[in-house]
Structure formats: structure tokens, C-alpha cells
Amino acid sequence: MLSFLLSLSLAQINSVPPPSTEIIEKQEVRPLPGRLDSIPVFNSNSPELILEEGILLSTFPKKGKKHKNAHLNFPFQGRFDIFAHHVAKAATPEDLRSLYLGVIVHNPGESPVKVNILHAGTYLSQPDAPFIDLPDQRNNLFGTVYAGPGSRVTNDILRNHRQSIFPPQLIIPAGESRMLLNLPIPVKELDPPINGRSTLMRLRTDGTIYVASLAMFAPKNEDESERSPTLAEWQNLLKNGELSSPRDKAPTLPENTKKPIIYGRVAGVSQGSEWKASLTDNPQVKYLTIPDPGQVLSYGISTLHRGTLGTKQIQSAPMLRRYPDTAYYAHGNYGVHYNLHLPLHNKTEKPQTVLLSVQTPIKEDTLSQKGLRFLKTPRKRVFFRGTVRVRYNDRQGISRTKYVHLVQNRGEKARKLVRVNLKPNSKEFVKVDFLYPPDATPPQVLTIETMKSVHPIE
């Protein structure tokens, strides 16, 4: 899975290519206005590769549990999200058992609790969403374009879908538990025998609950066929199990700049489901002056420690709870909704054409070349694959919505998403939004370019 890049050292990710292979864009890069909201996210992504049964992430209280270090004691109430991304692999060629991923929710109170499943999706790498080769851009109006389960699930949630396997509501009686998810990650008949599952849910409760994600190999019936684990079997694992293994590589403190950074993987409760922002010249005005003709302006997206692109802005969601050997921040902001409003303003006396694009420059903390670095011929190292939605007015003033699935390699400048035509002394409002997809590697930028001469809108 390509998201493993987040666990590599800075030197491995950001090796400097020879200058002749680069394109330098001398331009301004601004920090993104706004901030993450305060919605908690149950964030289960470590260990990514599961070879042994056990607890992946538990926010249950420690009381009554055999391995108390596996439980983080964090209650959820009201709005929260669940994100889970894990991979199963046959430990030996003969061991082709299906690994089940379970998400259990518990009501500790004395009255029933309603869990409203607002939007939800879960997909396997195979067969639901294989990592197929796609062009750098493809129209995705109907939501049928995706590559990988992360690409597919974020595409669904962007459209506010709830997959049919999820009920609209789950009622948990007082003092009882229920399974929110109980699905396999099969590897049998796959070559190689490896598979992954990505899950994303938006939920709202009217009471307090605890949540845990667990991994268990499929129990067998008398005829040796596999079956789903029962609620009682999941409860026993939660009570008596320990953290699943093998553990991922432990992170370095992000603030420790004397060592190559290892970001680690996330297992805990992160804070922030949506980054909502209005991109304006400054907080005192309600417009964004477009660049001069021929000039370019970019905003950092999913910037992180040692990858702020000169903005000094860390967008990574903070952790409210975490295990000691897992990431200090939710680097990458997997599943976070970037909801960006651009009130473009043409202050000139001439019509202007503005191009908008999402790009994946070479990661840097400070801009060593006083601008963004791109590769003339990027190698096939996919750093972003997912659907972006753009809403704007076309040349006739008709409101348009475009869904575009993007595939971008490291250092890729990328083609424009849309052209926006602005009359003299006029404003046009553009909205760009997407959920940051699992299996992507930050950072990216949202780029605004004013063309040297006016071109008609497509």
C-alpha cells in the first residue's frame, strides 16, 4: 500500500534529484486559512499490516481488561468519525485464513443509545477497488472511477453516501455492545495473498459510547468452512486480548530535528474531521485578489512537520489519545474533508482567465529554490489518487459541478482542473473540496494561475 511512505525517513522520501531534472516555479506559497474542526476521529491505521489477532484500537475503559495498556479510555458522544485502514497478508503460503475486521461499540449507560450512521463506506482492495492504472485526470461525475479502497471510500463520503450494508441507525441497549462492522479481509485465491480494507464513517450519537477495532481470524464451522465471529467472541477478544502485531516502526518526535523523521502510523483518537476555509487576501476582506497575468499563487494542503513548503503551517490533526509506539499526529489527515471557498476577484480593467489545479511538488520544509520544485519527468510513484469536486460558474454564468479523479506522482505539476473567466472588476466564487484519501502522501498545493492572455472557458 502506498501509504507506507509516511513511515519512511525524510531522507528516503525527499531525496534530492539532480537540478537538471527539475522545474522551479518561483511563486508565493501561502498557509491555508481556517483550521480543523474539533470533531474527534477514531483513527485506526496501526498496525497497517496485521499478522496476528488482537486489539487494533480500543477507546474502552481499562477496568476489567486483561491488558490495560491496550485501552485508551475515551468516550464518544455526538458527532464523530471512524476511520480504519488495515492490510491482511498470509503469514505462510499455507495459511490462507480470512482475517476479520470488527468494530464494536458499547453503551455504558442506563438508557439505550442511538447511533445514527450518517455516511459510511468500506471497501476491499480486491475485488472492490483494485489499484489499477488510471490517467492523471478522469471525469468522475457518476462516482465510478477509483483506484484502491481509499480512493473509493473517500469518493463515496464526498457525495454523502451510505453504503447499503450499513443501516441508517443502530440502537445499543443499556450496558450492551453491538457490532458496527464485522467483515473479512480475505486473501485466499489472491496472488500474492495480500488484501486491504479501508473504512470511513460519519456518525452521531445521542449518548456516550466506547469504540474498539479488533482483528480475528475467521472461526470455522464443523465442516471446516469459515464463518463470521460472533458478538461474544469479539467481546472475549476485547476483554482478554492484547495489541495486535507486528507493531509498526515507532515514530520520532516531530520536533526533534536532529534525527531523520519517522512519522509512524496512527492508532488513537485524532481531532478534526473537516478543514473549512475561505481563501481571501486577509481576514479583514471577503475576496481573493487573483494573481497578476502570468503569475501563480499556491496554498499548502496537508502540510506536515518538515514538509510545510515554507509556510511553517502544520495541518496534521493533533492526537487526543494514542499508543506510545504510534504517530504523534495524524500526518496525512486521512479522511479529512478539505472544504475550500475561493471568492476570486479581478481588480483589473481587463477580462482575465484563471486556472485552478491541485499539484504535488517535491516535499520541503523551507523553499530551497525560493519556489516550488517539480520534476520534468516524474517517475511512477503515486503520491495522490482521489476525487476532487470543483463548483464554479461557466462562461454563460451557469453553475457547474465537476468531479475529477486525480492521479499524481511525486513532483508532478499536473494539469488544470478548471478555467474560470472573470470580467473586468468582477468576482467569481469557486468551491474546491475533497476528502484527503488514504494511500496518499502529503503535501500537495492548491494553485491559482492567471493566464497571460484570455482564453475561452472549456
Side-chain angles (χ1 to χ4, degrees), residues 188-205:
K188 190 176 182 179
E189 299 180 358
L190 298 179
D191 185 18
I194 184 171
N195 208 350
R197 179 178 288 279
S198 291
T199 301
L200 185 58
M201 305 183 201
R202 290 172 174 164
L203 308 160
R204 180 180 286 112
T205 76

Side-chain angles (χ1 to χ4, degrees), residues 299-321:
Y299 288 88
I301 300 291
S302 197
T303 52
L304 69 170
H305 291 86
R306 305 201 203 177
T308 68
L309 301 174
T311 66
K312 303 186 185 301
Q313 183 185 48
I314 306 296
Q315 294 179 16
S316 303
M319 300 300 297
L320 302 174
R321 295 284 194 280

